[in-house]
Amino acid sequence: MRTLFTLIATSLFNLQAMAITADEVVERANLASFYAGDDGRSQARMIIVDAQGRKQTRQFSLLRRTLEKGGDQQMLVFFSRPSDVRGTVFRVDKKVDRDDDRWLYLPGLDLLKRISAGDKRTSFVGSHFFYEDVSGRNLKEDSFTLIEESDRHYLIEAKPKAPDAVEFSSYKVWVDKDNWLPAKVEYHDKQGALYRRVETVKTDTIGGYPTVLRSKISDLASGGYTLMEFRGVQYDLGLPESIFSERSMRQPPAKYLR
């Protein structure tokens, strides 16, 4: 009887564990990845390594404010190093019902440049990250399938609803069951070959929120990669909406960058 009871209990547990849908997993992973706290501030360093092993470094500060959980957001990225990018500012108004608005301010030219929606999957300031990776891809652009569940991960396959608009045919996401952060993302090209990988290297819990402190993105075709490291992460600072403006791109709000 104990064996029969154990089998029944195990079956019920498995049914309960599998009850979650792909969309529910993706929604929780999206909230964990991009919506920790009402707002946030961090300093970041990117180490860009090309196929020949040559390295470049970018350092910047990031401010983020959420207007609605799982919805619209505002973001500012202020570059401080190296000298040739110092003063460059990237701004995003993230929209869930349409394409995000993105701008880049180039201080040497005093030029405020709008980044078109068609450029969202191009290199972010020379790194292997895309502009879209920084603020997050709109969930409405893909359809999701839960293809596997293990003790540690949910494995989700995503396919674009508009295949001609992107360079990939599908991607897979391994979502960590402990913290709901994506542990790994792998992209396949139009021929089905794996060509791009994003890995979470280090996480910690800050202010009660699971947080990625180090990640790596690899171009598997060229052999190049970019490491992204975060420090000084803080949440729920009460950042005012007024600082997420064109004015702040030309005159950075120093008070909120310390």
Side-chain angles (χ1 to χ4, degrees):
M1 285 298 292
R2 284 187 62 186
T3 301
L4 178 60
F5 175 80
T6 301
L7 286 172
I8 293 173
T10 301
S11 298
L12 289 173
F13 175 79
N14 288 338
L15 283 172
Q16 187 178 20
M18 292 292 289
I20 194 167
T21 68
D23 286 343
E24 289 170 339
V25 173
V26 171
E27 184 176 344
R28 292 197 64 169
N30 184 51
L31 290 176
S33 300
F34 297 103
Y35 291 90
D38 293 332
D39 57 33
R41 174 177 60 205
S42 63
Q43 286 77 50
R45 180 175 69 164
M46 288 195 303
I47 302 172
I48 306 165
V49 183
D50 69 14
Q52 287 72 46
R54 294 171 295 198
K55 296 183 179 179
Q56 298 181 63
T57 301
R58 304 272 189 271
Q59 288 187 211
F60 54 87
S61 298
L62 189 151
L63 300 177
R64 172 186 56 79
R65 183 175 183 272
T66 294
L67 302 180
E68 181 183 356
K69 217 67 170 175
D72 293 355
Q73 285 185 314
Q74 300 166 306
M75 182 180 296
L76 283 166
V77 180
F78 300 89
F79 286 84
S80 56
R81 293 183 182 178
S83 57
D84 61 335
V85 298
R86 183 180 299 130
T88 299
V89 182
F90 175 55
R91 176 185 166 205
V92 182
D93 276 357
K94 182 175 179 175
K95 308 289 185 182
V96 295
D97 291 330
R98 61 174 177 83
D99 284 325
D100 299 345
D101 294 321
R102 296 180 174 89
W103 301 268
L104 194 66
Y105 175 64
L106 304 173
L109 301 173
D110 191 24
L111 173 66
L112 186 64
K113 175 185 176 185
R114 189 179 183 93
I115 299 171
S116 73
D119 289 335
K120 61 186 179 184
R121 293 196 63 77
T122 59
S123 171
F124 175 61
V125 291
S127 76
H128 297 88
F129 286 90
F130 293 160
Y131 284 102
E132 188 176 65
D133 296 324
V134 178
S135 53
R137 181 171 171 78
N138 193 322
L139 301 186
K140 294 182 178 179
E141 295 188 89
D142 303 321
S143 56
F144 303 99
T145 305
L146 176 58
I147 60 174
E148 187 179 303
E149 180 180 351
S150 69
D151 291 340
R152 297 182 58 190
H153 301 115
Y154 294 107
L155 176 54
I156 301 292
E157 183 180 56
K159 292 186 176 180
K161 294 177 181 176
D164 293 340
V166 292
E167 84 288 356
F168 60 83
S169 63
S170 67
Y171 61 92
K172 293 180 179 178
V173 187
W174 283 257
V175 178
D176 192 314
K177 282 185 168 181
D178 288 337
N179 56 27
W180 293 98
L181 293 170
K184 183 171 64 174
V185 186
E186 291 188 339
Y187 292 82
H188 292 78
D189 64 17
K190 301 294 187 183
Q191 287 71 48
L194 175 63
Y195 73 99
R196 189 169 190 255
R197 178 181 293 134
V198 184
E199 300 166 274
T200 295
V201 179
K202 182 180 179 182
T203 65
D204 199 355
T205 299
I206 298 174
Y209 303 104
T211 302
V212 175
L213 295 182
R214 186 178 301 153
S215 62
K216 178 182 180 181
I217 186 162
S218 302
D219 180 340
L220 302 179
S222 73
Y225 62 92
T226 296
L227 289 172
M228 180 95 81
E229 299 173 333
F230 294 95
R231 60 184 177 83
V233 179
Q234 294 178 284
Y235 297 113
D236 297 321
L237 299 162
L239 299 177
E241 183 175 3
S242 59
I243 65 172
F244 295 87
S245 64
E246 178 181 334
R247 179 180 180 183
S248 288
M249 298 181 76
R250 299 178 186 276
Q251 299 177 351
K255 171 183 176 182
Y256 298 103
L257 293 173
R258 296 168 186 158

